[in-house]
Amino acid sequence: GAGVSQSPSNKVTEKGKDVELRCDPISGHTALYWYRQSLGQGLEFLIYFQGNSAPDKSGLPSDRFSAERTGGSVSTLTIQRTQQEDSAVYLCATLPGSFSYNEQFFGPGTRLTVL
Amino acid sequence: AQSVAQPEDQVNVAEGNPLTVKCTYSVSGNPYLFWYVQYPNRGLQFLLKYITGDNLVKGSYGFEAEFNKSQTSFHLKKPSALVSDSALYFCARGDSNSGYALNFGKGTSLLVTP
């Protein structure tokens, strides 16, 4: 079966523009995370979705960041008015069920470059 | 704050030698621990985890790790390194008392030379 996919794989944008990053989870995986990976900074938790429950947005760094998950499947991370410090790799991970001690399945990431 | 630390940015080892990638964790709560590996231009892949039980856990590709409560460590080890093991390794900590978010270390770059 297919793994987690993300698109685009690379995105170059100009400062001030809006971008949308997409994550297609493994079929049947109800939990979905977004992370940001900056050089030398490890993975930073951004947002968590579990089924139809309200998402945990506690990791979003500013109100320019938002995410949604339609029908419990595809998720979109939107960054408005991008800044250079938003440049990073954005990773999506999913897992079946709600138990965080299960392994997460990661997508390949979207590399965002803000000029 | 519940956290995990990887004290080494880079580890260099010759092929065939044993390797260790270090990880320490904050002791509060009820932690569980993971190791993930990231190959260039790819997402993270699960290697192994400790939840409870036997302190020595074995994972993919011949890797193992030991949960050491007294030293609050969860070092990743392999008896004989391969060049193909060269990658970025992340330790991550979760806590059954505080939900689903994992805290990841900054990563350790492993370079195995022929």
Side-chain angles (χ1 to χ4, degrees), chain A residues 33 35 37 40-43 45 48 56 91 100-104 106-108 111, chain B residues 32 34 36 38 41-44 46 49 51 88 90 99-102 104-106:
Chain A
Y33 296 77
Y35 294 93
Q37 183 179 14
Q41 297 299 314
L43 271 69
F45 164 77
Y48 168 75
D56 179 347
L91 293 168
S100 58
Y101 48 79
N102 289 329
E103 65 177 276
Q104 297 183 21
F106 283 81
R111 182 176 297 277
Chain B
Y32 48 91
F34 297 82
Y36 284 85
Q38 186 179 34
N41 300 315
R42 297 180 63 180
L44 277 70
F46 170 79
K49 66 181 178 184
I51 307 297
L88 188 58
F90 289 95
Y100 41 75
L102 294 183
F104 282 81
K106 293 185 177 184

Side-chain angles (χ1 to χ4, degrees), chain A residues 44-62:
Chain A
E44 175 188 6
F45 164 77
L46 297 177
I47 189 169
Y48 168 75
F49 295 91
Q50 174 55 257
N52 295 321
S53 302
D56 179 347
K57 305 178 181 181
S58 61
L60 295 179
S62 78

Side-chain angles (χ1 to χ4, degrees), chain B residues 38-106:
Chain B
Q38 186 179 34
Y39 297 101
N41 300 315
R42 297 180 63 180
L44 277 70
Q45 297 178 30
F46 170 79
L47 277 180
L48 51 80
K49 66 181 178 184
Y50 172 83
I51 307 297
T52 186
D54 193 348
N55 289 343
L56 182 64
V57 292
K58 295 185 182 295
S60 306
Y61 312 121
F63 285 94
E64 61 185 30
E66 184 173 9
F67 178 75
N68 188 317
K69 192 171 184 179
S70 63
Q71 297 183 8
T72 64
S73 67
F74 189 60
H75 300 334
L76 181 70
K77 298 185 178 184
K78 187 174 182 180
S80 179
L82 300 172
V83 172
S84 58
D85 293 330
S86 299
L88 188 58
Y89 290 81
F90 289 95
C91 183
R93 182 193 190 283
D95 193 306
S96 58
N97 294 335
S98 55
Y100 41 75
L102 294 183
N103 289 309
F104 282 81
K106 293 185 177 184

Side-chain angles (χ1 to χ4, degrees), chain A residues 43-87:
Chain A
L43 271 69
E44 175 188 6
F45 164 77
L46 297 177
I47 189 169
Y48 168 75
F49 295 91
Q50 174 55 257
N52 295 321
S53 302
D56 179 347
K57 305 178 181 181
S58 61
L60 295 179
S62 78
D63 58 8
R64 296 187 294 106
F65 288 72
S66 63
E68 63 178 20
R69 190 177 184 193
T70 53
S73 181
V74 172
S75 178
T76 302
L77 176 69
T78 301
I79 309 174
Q80 295 179 310
R81 305 180 302 282
T82 52
Q83 304 295 311
Q84 289 182 334
E85 60 263 29
D86 299 334
S87 296

